[in-house]
Amino acid sequence: MTLLPETVRQLDTLVARAQSTGRAPSLGLGVVRDGTLVHLAAAGEHPRPDADLQYRLGSISKTMTATLVLQERDAGRLRLDDPVEQHLPGTPVGALTLRQLLGHVGGLQREPDGQWWERVEGVDLATLLGGLSPDKIAYPPLRGYHYSNLAYGLLGGVLERLTGTPWAQLLRERILTPLGMRRTSYHATEPYARGYVVHPWHDTLREEPRTDTGAMAPAGQLWSTVADLGRWAAFLADPDPEVLAPQTLTEMCAPVVISDLDSWTGGHGLGLELYREGERVYVGHGGSMPGYVAALAVHRPTRTAVVGFANAYGMRSGHIGGLARQLLTLVLDAEPAPVTPWRPALAPPAAELTELTGRWWWMGIEFEVRVDAAGELWAGPPGEPTLRFTPEGPDRWRGRSGGQDGEILTVVRDPAGRAVALDIATFVLTRTPEQEP
């Protein structure tokens, strides 16, 4: 898959302009479609970006930490509404729940006490926990959105205590290796871009330290490349069920809180940031560490994403994040969406399914029911059957989309065994508009 030449020209121009005005020594953003990196827009020469060059991920690391937590939930080893003290006994902020930490609604202060954790060598988990006190909760849980790096240090501690495995090892075994992210690592691995602060008045570069953040690593330690971050973006668009169940990733993308109460353009799910751009919603995260900024934006319905890095802190994560979303919108607006060809069914469905298809009526409103090759029912207005139902037993179906998600469809039969009505959570559809429900 390739992009149209005019799309490529516009992408390259926008990135070149951003590198120049943002004074980034090195800036690279990649476009991912259907799991493939289809274009890298690169600018700058210190060093020249390529798909294999490492930069620091910063807070994009949180999206992987959150995935590890949800893996443990799916395995039945924790609940999202567990209090932290259940897994880290004696913690002064232990009344906060894992869900509140994941969604930044616990009111926990943003940083651990002491020197700026991103720029100094980190401490171990025991020391991090020892520095906590009840006053680290800035305001009551669930009152609103308050971003907290400290929350993800605690989530990493929960994972280590629960599994008996260090966070970095758990990450490598559960995510990086299965997804083939071989150039994503705890420490920088050559070739990597050095990170800088650009002097505001004479454009010289000051190289920033590359620290081991210790117990705070789950909040922002990782290093990666455009190619590897593209693989992570592809996973967020269409997850490998061996790593995380697709329905769990969809749960992560549901808003826990709206972070922008003035215009409702931003929110936060379970470890993922949500961005509304016009009529579209993107998921992803920004990242920054001293000398580095990073961006990840994914449009799940079209399996399209933009990922990117720069090696100057002055460009700020908000700037590169906005640029990534601008590029993503450009691609979605300019590029024709792939069309899935229609193919005929290889065999007719079973008689008990065929009996349920066709026209049904509710309160004078016409509905159409169809069956797909997988044996699932689809219902909705004629020509628009968008409500999906999966079989759950004889004459019993479970809604899996839209307003009927989670609701039960029951087939009602007459004494002769014929299907005469569909009862969807007490809303009864009949074969003709004249029939009483």
Side-chain angles (χ1 to χ4, degrees):
M1 181 179 292
T2 58
L3 300 179
L4 297 173
E6 176 58 20
T7 305
V8 169
R9 185 193 69 78
Q10 292 185 58
L11 293 172
D12 289 346
T13 299
L14 286 170
V15 170
R17 184 178 298 131
Q19 185 271 338
S20 179
T21 59
R23 300 187 305 161
S26 176
L27 174 64
L29 289 99
V31 178
V32 178
R33 301 197 82 183
D34 288 326
T36 301
L37 181 66
V38 295
H39 182 65
L40 172 62
E45 300 292 339
H46 300 282
R48 181 68 180 175
D50 63 48
D52 193 51
L53 182 68
Q54 271 195 347
Y55 299 78
R56 206 155 192 182
L57 272 181
S59 287
I60 295 175
S61 305
K62 292 181 175 72
T63 66
M64 300 179 196
T65 298
T67 299
L68 293 173
V69 172
L70 269 294
Q71 286 178 344
E72 291 297 296
R73 192 284 306 273
D74 285 358
R77 290 187 283 267
L78 58 76
R79 297 173 304 151
L80 295 187
D81 294 316
D82 286 345
V84 172
E85 62 190 0
Q86 182 173 327
H87 303 284
L88 299 174
T91 303
V93 297
L96 301 179
T97 70
L98 304 183
R99 187 188 304 275
Q100 290 166 1
L101 299 185
L102 286 165
H104 299 290
V105 291
L108 191 64
Q109 75 178 38
R110 190 180 65 244
E111 317 292 357
D113 286 346
Q115 293 180 285
W116 184 22
W117 68 273
E118 294 181 2
R119 207 169 183 273
V120 297
E121 292 301 306
V123 299
D124 61 17
L125 179 60
T127 304
L128 179 67
L129 297 178
L132 297 178
S133 59
D135 63 2
K136 297 298 182 290
I137 300 178
Y139 52 76
L142 301 177
R143 198 176 82 180
Y145 173 77
H146 185 72
Y147 189 88
S148 175
N149 286 306
L150 179 56
Y152 275 76
L154 296 183
L155 288 169
V158 168
L159 288 166
E160 291 198 12
R161 290 282 178 86
L162 188 64
T163 65
T165 304
W167 172 82
Q169 180 182 340
L170 202 65
L171 178 77
R172 184 173 62 253
E173 294 174 353
R174 298 262 194 95
I175 293 177
L176 303 183
T177 298
L179 296 182
M181 297 172 65
R182 298 177 182 84
R183 285 282 289 147
T184 302
S185 55
Y186 189 93
H187 292 293
T189 305
E190 293 286 9
Y192 68 88
R194 276 58 182 170
Y196 301 103
V197 169
V198 180
H199 196 283
W201 299 314
H202 48 64
D203 288 345
T204 56
L205 302 179
R206 184 189 74 219
E207 187 172 344
E208 286 294 285
R210 295 174 287 278
T211 56
D212 180 341
T213 55
M216 286 295 292
Q221 173 69 31
L222 295 177
W223 296 74
S224 193
T225 67
V226 167
D228 263 18
L229 190 54
R231 293 184 180 94
W232 183 240
F235 170 82
L236 294 179
D238 186 14
D240 178 352
E242 295 297 316
V243 176
L244 192 70
Q247 61 268 28
T248 299
L249 186 49
T250 298
E251 179 185 359
M252 294 174 69
C253 296
V256 172
V257 63
I258 297 298
S259 56
D260 171 15
L261 294 178
D262 293 327
S263 59
W264 286 43
T265 58
H268 211 286
L270 297 171
L272 290 167
E273 293 178 342
L274 313 173
Y275 319 101
R276 182 170 63 81
E277 300 280 339
E279 297 302 311
R280 301 186 182 105
V281 174
Y282 303 152
V283 303
H285 214 288
S288 67
M289 290 292 279
Y292 300 93
V293 291
L296 165 67
V298 182
H299 188 238
R300 300 191 73 214
T302 60
R303 293 159 47 95
T304 307
V306 171
V307 301
F309 298 99
N311 62 338
Y313 197 76
M315 183 142 183
R316 296 194 294 280
S317 58
H319 289 184
I320 194 173
L323 177 63
R325 295 189 293 276
Q326 181 184 8
L327 299 190
L328 180 53
T329 299
L330 188 160
V331 170
L332 294 174
D333 287 346
E335 296 288 317
V339 177
T340 302
W342 175 86
R343 293 183 176 88
L346 299 179
E352 59 267 23
L353 290 181
T354 303
E355 183 185 17
L356 304 181
T357 61
R359 294 290 187 264
W360 295 85
W361 298 83
W362 176 78
M363 301 295 288
I365 301 172
E366 188 176 13
F367 283 78
E368 175 183 286
V369 175
R370 305 181 65 178
V371 61
D372 66 16
E376 296 183 333
L377 292 182
W378 293 81
E384 302 178 40
T386 58
L387 299 175
R388 170 176 162 243
F389 295 86
T390 59
E392 213 173 58
D395 287 341
R396 179 182 170 93
W397 302 75
R398 178 77 69 174
R400 298 299 184 193
S401 66
Q404 302 303 335
D405 189 22
E407 302 293 347
I408 297 296
L409 182 156
T410 304
V411 180
V412 179
R413 298 187 180 275
D414 66 12
R418 293 180 297 238
V420 295
L422 303 178
D423 184 335
I424 306 177
T426 75
F427 293 3
V428 179
L429 282 64
T430 58
R431 272 302 188 186
T432 68
E434 294 82 12
Q435 287 178 269
E436 290 288 339

